[in-house]
Amino acid sequence: MTTLKDVAKKAGLSITQTSRALNDHSDVSAATRERVKEIALTLQYRPNLSARKLVSGRSGLVGLVVPRTKDLASDGLFIEVVSGLSTEFSLRDMQFVLHVTQPEEPIIPVYKRLVGNGAIDGFVLIDPREDDRRAAFLSKAKVPFVVHGRIGPNPKHAYFDIDNEKIFRGITRHLSALGHRRIVLLNGIEDRTYAEARSCGYRHALVDSRIDPSEAIIRSGAMTESFGLISTVDLFSGPEPRPTAIICGSVRIAKGVYQALNALGLSIPRDVSVFAHDDHIAQIQTEAFYPALSVTDAPMRDSWKPLAACLEGAISGAPLSELQVVGPYRTILRQSTAAPCQ
Amino acid sequence: MTTLKDVAKKAGLSITQTSRALNDHSDVSAATRERVKEIALTLQYRPNLSARKLVSGRSGLVGLVVPRTKDLASDGLFIEVVSGLSTEFSLRDMQFVLHVTQPEEPIIPVYKRLVGNGAIDGFVLIDPREDDRRAAFLSKAKVPFVVHGRIGPNPKHAYFDIDNEKIFRGITRHLSALGHRRIVLLNGIEDRTYAEARSCGYRHALVDSRIDPSEAIIRSGAMTESFGLISTVDLFSGPEPRPTAIICGSVRIAKGVYQALNALGLSIPRDVSVFAHDDHIAQIQTEAFYPALSVTDAPMRDSWKPLAACLEGAISGAPLSELQVVGPYRTILRQSTAAPCQ
DNA sequence: CTGTTAGCGCTTTCAA
DNA sequence: TTGAAAGCGCTAACAG
């Protein structure tokens, strides 16, 4: 293995100066820098990460801890997150350490161990909760981390998120502007931050549209077809008056909703309008819905690059303002939404 | 962060002796060892991996490099491998570095980079080819690795594998013993080592059963329902005489075969016997096939533990004989196989 | 059984 | 613009 010493020897320089040249320090002549880099390339020099870590405190290692649950495999999310992040970190010459816990293993000790070893520069936190213990622990331990989503109303951490509140406020407003008043929100699992933001946006829009907040109809559940199907059947076999519009937290939920409405003999959008948010993690084409599904569109695969960038920034001590990024989305109106009948 | 120095100070010992105590060296009094370990525990001491690596050459980091292909996500294998290995290495206090390459990125430079950095102790190689460039590179670079499967007839590397040749020889013999002579093998992708071993076992069994090797019927393809379906339709719309038994490389293939046979109006096992190898990575219950599917059963999820163990052994320089493990399998005869009714 | 000394490969003062 | 020297935290000779 080529070391700095080898490069220095070949360059006829001291190790110190060689290191400086390679790391683009200002006090190196351009000529020297070029020459040294050339030699390093020829010799296939790669800085030893452990040595660098020891002195600089950086190892270039970042971690993701995923609890092992039985639905890990079926959930398309895991693979998306893992392969996306791995790819992005590779591009940045960082190593991506993946830790899948034991089924019932408490998660904080895992972080403790990983942090204690001192090998990992920072973490990516996915699937944040309103009251997230991982974030609390890492903050206290002063270990950099980036959250996929936001924790709390005024977060002090690095994050990449989409504006869930705005998105769902927009969807709800759109439907109410069409004339809908009994609008259902089939939301995600309750204590997830994104679900909270979404229901918040939904409620705000109701108020904006002078619909009494007590008329809010929210169901919480996993992002599955079953949830969409069961909720829909339940809602439309309940007491009159029936809802006229359904907002789905995901396309997968929408799939279940379509099935249920179809089974109930209800027509989209004549009897019921359906709107969904599409993060593209279900391998489902929304154009292929019949009638084509109206969606807000924000591919989750676009998250991994900014997440990696934010974590890199957090590790190198960039100001928080640069590390809090909210991604874009598009609204795509198709055939599943219309004014309610009569 | 607690360092060895802190522990030593508290124990009133030298750093050296403390290190020895913690690492279970022989020349430490039992009392001291106990006491030191106690203190380390209290202080939540965790050895700094980078420091250890620097001096001992071990970092506790192991790597897996996965090429990013479009079917990464749909293929249940990726998630199984990644979560399985991650879990097993966590248990051994090793860190699992996952590297997903760019779509068309050549893979050897990735290993070169990872190895050059000197941070990774060893690699797991999955999906080996007959002529595997990764293995060749790592061997030459003298970097420990373990293969999921075997490369070549007399491998010099650590591996965990099942006895594919024996398994498929057994299946074929079983069918020929029932009286079948026109037996199809729907094998995996051609240049994969396991597929080669399987076709080898199949051919041997033909010879054993005095069936002319020229009567071998082998199709190669991906482990998909489509492959099973298309192959079956093709075979049974070809010229007489038709096959009477089909051996499937995976349960997923068998699924396609069942569909095709059903569509062709052929009955299992009256017209055609079907046998499959079940590695449990398709989320498919073989009992739920109708008629229930006869299988050889060797869950792939049982591979991760021995793979991790072998890699750990390879890194610590255990003799090769201990690092070459062949896992067990069971034969489960159900209703999909019977004597042919001529 | 225990301590002293050296050094892994690198970055960073400090001095020239 | 450059080099010498110190030290990150740990392990492994080498003495006692």
Side-chain angles (χ1 to χ4, degrees), chain B residues 77-278:
Chain B
L77 191 57
F78 174 78
I79 191 165
E80 180 66 38
V81 175
V82 162
S83 71
L85 285 178
S86 169
T87 302
E88 285 305 326
F89 284 119
S90 301
L91 251 43
R92 303 181 125 70
D93 251 309
M94 300 164 85
Q95 324 268 25
F96 177 66
V97 174
L98 175 69
H99 190 113
V100 179
T101 68
Q102 294 292 90
E104 295 297 316
E105 190 178 6
I107 206 156
I108 297 299
V110 173
Y111 282 99
K112 242 179 205 152
R113 206 161 59 233
L114 256 25
V115 166
N117 276 327
I120 293 187
D121 291 345
F123 290 90
V124 179
L125 261 46
I126 54 170
D127 206 15
R129 317 297 168 92
E130 284 299 339
D131 180 25
D132 201 283
R133 308 180 56 212
R134 305 167 299 175
F137 169 74
L138 291 174
S139 299
K140 216 182 66 194
K142 298 204 186 311
V143 178
F145 65 95
V146 63
V147 179
H148 188 215
R150 266 169 285 190
I151 301 167
N154 190 10
K156 297 275 178 295
H157 59 256
Y159 64 76
F160 174 82
D161 198 4
I162 52 174
D163 196 337
N164 281 297
E165 165 151 7
K166 183 174 166 200
I167 293 173
F168 278 70
R169 189 168 186 162
I171 296 175
T172 312
R173 271 179 170 166
H174 173 76
L175 291 169
S176 73
L178 284 174
H180 293 277
R181 293 188 58 82
R182 293 184 304 282
I183 304 170
V184 176
L185 172 61
L186 298 183
N187 206 1
I189 297 173
E190 245 175 55
D191 78 329
R192 301 305 200 274
T193 55
Y194 68 87
E196 173 60 21
R198 289 171 176 190
S199 77
C200 202
Y202 163 80
R203 287 177 199 281
H204 276 150
L206 292 190
V207 173
D208 296 345
S209 315
R210 296 163 205 269
I211 300 176
D212 194 285
S214 70
E215 292 194 54
I217 314 169
I218 303 182
R219 301 278 166 118
S220 302
M223 294 291 191
T224 61
E225 276 181 54
S226 327
F227 170 58
L229 190 144
I230 292 172
S231 304
T232 304
V233 170
D234 188 52
L235 285 161
F236 285 86
S237 51
E240 308 264 2
R242 303 276 160 72
T244 61
I246 303 178
I247 303 173
C248 304
S250 77
V251 167
R252 203 169 284 168
I253 293 177
K255 193 120 192 242
V257 169
Y258 266 55
Q259 284 171 25
L261 290 176
N262 188 40
L264 290 164
L266 292 167
S267 144
I268 306 170
R270 204 174 47 84
D271 300 316
V272 185
S273 286
V274 182
F275 208 118
H277 178 71
D278 188 6

Side-chain angles (χ1 to χ4, degrees), chain A residues 11 22 42 109 124 140 158 175 186 200 215 271 327:
Chain A
L22 256 20
T42 329
V124 179
K140 217 182 64 194
L175 290 169
L186 297 184
C200 200
E215 294 193 53
D271 301 316

